[in-house]
Amino acid sequence: MTAEITTEKARIGAPSIAGFTEEGEGLVAAKVDHTHNHGVTVMSSRAERLTSFNVADFPLPTGREEEWRFSPVRGLANLLSDTATDLDPVPAAGYTVEAPEGYVRAPLAPGAAPRGTALVPADRAAVVASANTDEALHVVIPAEAEPAEPLRILVHGAAAGHRSNAHFVLEAGANSRSVVILEHTGAADHNGNLEVIVGEGAKLTVISVQLWEDDAKHLAQHDAQVGKDAVYKHIAVSLGGSIVRLNSNVRFSGEGAEAELLGLYFADAGQHLEHRSFVDHNMANCKSNVLYKGALQGKDAHTVWVGDVLIQKQALGTDSYEKNQNLVLTDGCRADSVPNLEIETGLIEGAGHASSTGRFDDEHLFYLMARGIPEDVARRLVVRGFLNEIIQKIKVPALEERLTDAVERELAASEN
Amino acid sequence: MSTLEIKDLHVSIETEQGTKEILKGVSLTIRTGETHAIMGPNGSGKSTLASTIAGHPRYNVTSGTITLDGEDVLAMSVDERARAGLFLAMQYPVEVPGVSMTNFLRTAKTAIDGEAPKLRTWTKDVKAAMEKLRIDADFTQRNVNEGFSGGEKKRVEILQLELFKPKFAVLDETDSGLDVDALKVVSEGVNRAHAEGNMGTLLITHYTRILRYIKPEFVHVFVDGQVVEEGGPELADRLEEEGYDRYAKGAGAATIAAADAAVQG
Ligand SMILES: Nc1ncnc2c1ncn2[C@@H]1O[C@H](COP(=O)(O)OP(=O)(O)OP(=O)(O)O)[C@@H](O)[C@H]1O
Ligand SMILES: [Mg+2]
């Protein structure tokens, strides 16, 4: 984890910081982490990114657009086309929900509130998924509720190469405490939106697990609106699928809220796993922490992380940090890692970012081997330890165990 | 009884300026039960010798041999050497993020013994050894060497020495950076390992301080990649008083500068 392979485009304290007081300037100077500031680049602000419910507003991407430049768009034609879910010979994907009685409400048509409150499509994939989902699943965790078991939404792809659309709306009532697991298995060309509304004082953890078969493709926009004093945690775990691109976005609807966006991915030969996160600090006194960790092995394993943080002018007292770390296990892999931090006010608690992509560290290996541990065991110890930082934040023991096993299988595969 | 034999060892490394020879013909024989001290100025190649014995890939052996009871150590991989009974307490122990001490110690012990230690006795052994070395119990939950202070890292090296029970231990400046109490605690650890089993020790140090606690039978003076003088414990006292100057004549000016550094450091 030493040598940096790819780090691009850090935007820190853009020269456009206007009208801040000396106090604010001091704060920024003291707290902003400048270690990865590679200069301001020509790029439009994240704030200007188009969002719309209108399919016509998002032409098919060519791959040159900022938001698509790392993605294999040619392999995504089916997912980006404006088409309904394929029902022939079987529905391309189906889902089941495990939740306490009364939590699942009547489905929501496009435009039926609260659908559209937290999620407005931000790219072609999300807009066609939205437009082609007439009935959005609507799950409401009542105010004050503390369900004993995690809620589960199990999406299962039944037909590789066949198109599936989904839009889920999840509401966590005021002061509720809950965990929701969104799990993907099987194979399909699945285009899935998740819209999350976190009520005042609520604590919600959403864990999106991608355990697809090798021939699955998956595009996703997960947007959350986090209420006053609420705590939202989103954990993306991507292990399976040939192409997965998951965008996890957060905005606040009240002060004092916290958001934590976490991710873990393990890409094998030929796999493209892309994660984008966007924290829009549009309110004062909110906190955010972003941490994505990935391992890569095998020819043409490709991972992408793009982490946008925007601290708006009114977001005084913001405390934000984002970090991405990648561990490259073999030759022939590529990890792109791009933190973008835009700060429009100096009156913040702190803002920092870090990104590192490194090879397996030979000194770590030497130390472990010098204690008699064989090389393959030593490698596994280190990779497991590296990824475990995310797994241990899941806090659902059965799921932690399953994912630990899944990571072990990925590692075992590398020794063949 | 076991014997570790180093014969006419030449070692070089690749640097940006090209190949650099560091060890220029080192011969040493250590038997179990013996303690050998190596003293020498900074940069004379002491750590190079230690790392070469452990098998660090950076160091190329260009000629000479290392054998353990006649077995060719140089033909063994790093982990095989450790399993054969060689242990290196490093001058700068490496931090390994994400791997807990508990997990690490158990995995290493399993590898060295060829079978998993009995869980109950193992946990007890680890706890007892830690107590004797005055290492806090919560260190087992921490990642290997991560955030440990310099002295804490050294104690944890000796903890491993006691738990893994090697045939030969190379202690590379284990005494540097230790306070007076820690020096005593760590020395006692080494002496316990000695008393307990069949262990030979190669103690690399700059100071006679540690020799008050760990008594070497042999002292070797190391200058510019070679052993230039050998003797008993009295040689260490003489070095402390006179420094390495009298060896410098033949070795050139660079060594004199290095010797000065050693006195200050
Ligand atoms: N990467 C490198 N490039 C150039 N020279 C190197 C490199 N690594 C080691 N050396 C040199 O090898 C020589 C021997 O180093 P070594 O660490 O073995 O010395 P030492 O006797 O252990 O010193 P100290 O008492 O300071 O620990 C030194 O001159 C050192 O500068
Ligand atoms: Mg040294």
Side-chain angles (χ1 to χ4, degrees):
Chain A
M1 278 168 277
T2 44
E4 274 192 20
I5 294 174
T6 334
T7 296
E8 289 188 50
K9 277 226 245 183
R11 309 177 79 226
I12 288 189
S16 63
I17 300 180
F20 54 69
T21 64
E22 273 180 35
E23 186 197 356
E25 189 173 12
L27 270 173
V28 171
K31 294 269 184 69
V32 173
D33 168 3
H34 279 280
T35 49
H36 291 271
N37 186 356
H38 304 299
V40 176
T41 46
V42 195
M43 186 187 144
S44 61
S45 165
R46 179 67 206 233
E48 291 153 18
R49 185 82 59 86
L50 173 74
T51 58
S52 164
F53 289 105
N54 187 357
V55 174
D57 288 340
F58 295 98
L60 275 169
T62 60
R64 284 188 296 274
E65 302 76 4
E66 173 57 34
E67 65 268 41
W68 289 103
R69 66 191 180 103
F70 295 111
S71 312
V73 290
R74 264 190 299 168
L76 294 170
N78 190 28
L79 284 115
L80 297 172
S81 66
D82 186 10
T83 41
T85 295
D86 201 345
L87 300 173
D88 188 34
V90 289
Y95 63 83
T96 53
V97 182
E98 295 172 12
E101 207 158 332
Y103 281 32
V104 178
R105 304 290 176 88
L108 299 168
R115 183 172 171 178
T117 307
L119 188 151
V120 184
D123 65 21
R124 172 80 185 185
V127 79
V128 294
S130 172
N132 289 288
T133 305
D134 296 332
E135 301 199 322
L137 169 70
H138 184 203
V139 177
V140 180
I141 297 144
E144 315 288 335
E146 297 188 18
E149 291 292 316
L151 279 64
R152 286 171 201 276
I153 304 171
L154 307 169
V155 176
H156 187 76
H162 290 254
R163 173 64 177 277
S164 146
N165 298 290
H167 190 105
F168 301 147
V169 180
L170 181 61
E171 279 184 273
N175 302 313
S176 61
R177 302 261 177 285
S178 54
V179 175
V180 177
I181 300 171
L182 172 59
E183 190 175 314
H184 302 90
T185 55
D189 281 359
H190 182 67
N191 211 337
N193 293 339
L194 174 69
E195 177 160 1
V196 183
I197 301 155
V198 189
E200 249 185 67
K203 267 194 180 170
L204 172 68
T205 299
V206 171
I207 308 162
S208 181
V209 183
Q210 289 64 249
L211 288 171
W212 295 108
E213 303 287 333
D214 289 346
D215 46 0
K217 294 178 185 177
H218 181 193
L219 301 179
Q221 180 175 332
H222 292 185
D223 277 21
Q225 177 184 291
V226 184
K228 183 171 177 296
D229 298 326
V231 179
Y232 172 65
K233 185 146 83 163
H234 182 281
I235 309 176
V237 181
S238 301
L239 301 175
S242 70
I243 302 174
V244 172
R245 176 178 137 122
L246 195 157
N247 302 341
S248 175
N249 308 319
V250 169
R251 215 172 60 236
F252 301 97
S253 60
E255 295 192 11
E258 281 178 38
E260 193 169 21
L261 305 183
L262 306 171
L264 179 169
Y265 45 87
F266 198 135
D268 292 311
Q271 236 181 342
H272 176 95
L273 301 179
E274 176 166 350
H275 296 84
R276 289 171 173 254
S277 55
F278 174 38
V279 183
D280 184 356
H281 276 281
N282 57 330
M283 289 274 166
N285 302 317
C286 292
K287 254 193 193 173
S288 69
N289 180 41
V290 178
L291 176 63
Y292 277 75
K293 298 184 89 165
L296 297 87
Q297 67 184 12
K299 194 173 173 302
D300 297 327
H302 187 196
T303 67
V304 178
W305 174 78
V306 179
D308 294 341
V309 172
L310 170 63
I311 301 175
Q312 297 197 30
K313 229 188 346 241
Q314 68 275 21
L316 311 178
T318 290
D319 192 354
S320 126
Y321 191 75
E322 62 170 347
K323 181 159 95 171
N324 175 228
Q325 288 179 297
N326 296 299
L327 188 52
V328 176
L329 302 177
T330 64
D331 289 334
C333 307
R334 175 175 166 169
D336 288 294
S337 180
V338 188
N340 294 309
L341 180 51
E342 293 177 72
I343 307 174
E344 295 175 349
T345 173
L347 292 166
I348 57 171
E349 281 293 310
H353 68 167
S355 160
S356 70
T357 295
R359 285 242 152 222
F360 203 88
D361 191 323
D362 289 340
E363 289 303 322
H364 295 164
L365 204 57
F366 174 70
Y367 189 81
L368 298 174
M369 288 176 71
R371 289 348 181 197
I373 301 173
E375 181 170 350
D376 57 334
V377 179
R379 277 181 185 278
R380 253 180 289 164
L381 266 182
V382 171
V383 178
R384 204 190 290 148
F386 175 74
L387 296 177
N388 200 37
E389 187 181 352
I390 301 293
I391 292 183
Q392 72 196 13
K393 291 190 174 180
I394 290 176
K395 311 253 188 257
V396 179
L399 183 59
E400 286 185 13
E401 206 172 298
R402 261 181 78 204
L403 294 176
T404 302
D405 290 349
V407 167
E408 291 295 315
R409 280 197 300 279
E410 299 272 346
L411 280 166
S414 72
E415 278 146 33
N416 295 335
Chain B
M1 205 193 43
S2 290
T3 308
L4 179 65
E5 197 170 11
I6 300 162
K7 265 199 205 149
D8 194 27
L9 192 68
H10 290 253
V11 172
S12 62
I13 57 164
E14 295 306 322
T15 72
E16 273 157 27
Q17 290 78 40
T19 306
K20 179 175 174 186
E21 183 168 57
I22 301 176
L23 299 189
K24 301 168 181 171
V26 177
S27 297
L28 266 181
T29 302
I30 309 165
R31 295 183 183 80
T32 41
E34 295 175 356
T35 299
H36 294 244
I38 290 188
M39 303 184 79
N42 292 135
S44 55
K46 304 179 298 298
S47 292
T48 301
L49 175 64
S51 298
T52 305
I53 295 171
H56 195 290
R58 237 173 98 71
Y59 301 94
N60 305 317
V61 176
T62 50
S63 68
T65 58
I66 304 178
T67 55
L68 174 59
D69 295 331
E71 295 278 331
D72 183 1
V73 170
L74 296 175
M76 299 179 196
S77 62
V78 175
D79 52 317
E80 282 168 351
R81 295 179 195 205
R83 293 199 295 273
L86 299 178
F87 180 87
L88 167 62
M90 295 185 199
Q91 184 174 3
Y92 304 107
V94 182
E95 303 195 359
V96 188
V99 181
S100 73
M101 283 296 299
T102 318
N103 193 1
F104 162 67
L105 292 174
R106 197 178 352 99
T107 308
K109 182 67 176 171
T110 305
I112 289 165
D113 289 3
E115 58 176 357
K118 297 240 172 357
L119 201 58
R120 261 237 222 91
T121 47
W122 172 245
T123 313
K124 248 183 25 209
D125 290 351
V126 173
K127 214 177 143 217
M130 285 176 66
E131 266 167 25
K132 285 191 211 137
L133 289 164
R134 316 242 175 93
I135 300 169
D136 269 355
D138 65 7
F139 270 59
T140 54
Q141 303 311 312
R142 292 174 63 179
N143 291 331
V144 176
N145 292 325
E146 201 175 66
F148 295 9
S149 76
E152 287 165 350
K153 283 180 183 162
K154 298 298 177 73
R155 289 182 208 216
V156 167
E157 293 290 284
I158 300 308
L159 172 68
Q160 295 171 51
L161 172 75
E162 287 203 67
L163 292 170
F164 301 158
K165 306 193 188 311
K167 286 184 186 146
F168 290 97
V170 180
L171 310 181
D172 190 359
E173 292 198 32
T174 301
D175 55 333
S176 296
L178 292 181
D179 63 45
V180 206
D181 297 332
L183 183 68
K184 212 170 147 220
V185 163
V186 160
S187 302
E188 284 165 4
V190 176
N191 289 334
R192 273 195 300 274
H194 245 284
E196 207 177 286
N198 280 317
M199 190 175 86
T201 303
L202 189 60
L203 180 76
I204 296 171
T205 183
H206 285 296
Y207 309 105
T208 48
R209 225 169 47 136
I210 192 170
L211 305 182
R212 285 210 294 271
Y213 304 106
I214 302 176
K215 299 281 178 205
E217 289 89 15
F218 308 94
V219 174
H220 310 266
V221 184
F222 214 76
V223 175
D224 193 26
Q226 280 176 315
V227 176
V228 293
E229 190 172 2
E230 293 174 301
E234 73 288 345
L235 184 53
D237 296 325
R238 198 166 152 204
L239 286 173
E240 180 118 296
E241 261 159 45
E242 298 177 8
Y244 301 103
D245 275 7
R246 65 196 171 94
Y247 305 108
K249 285 188 194 83
T255 316
I256 296 174
D260 286 341
V263 171
Q264 288 156 20

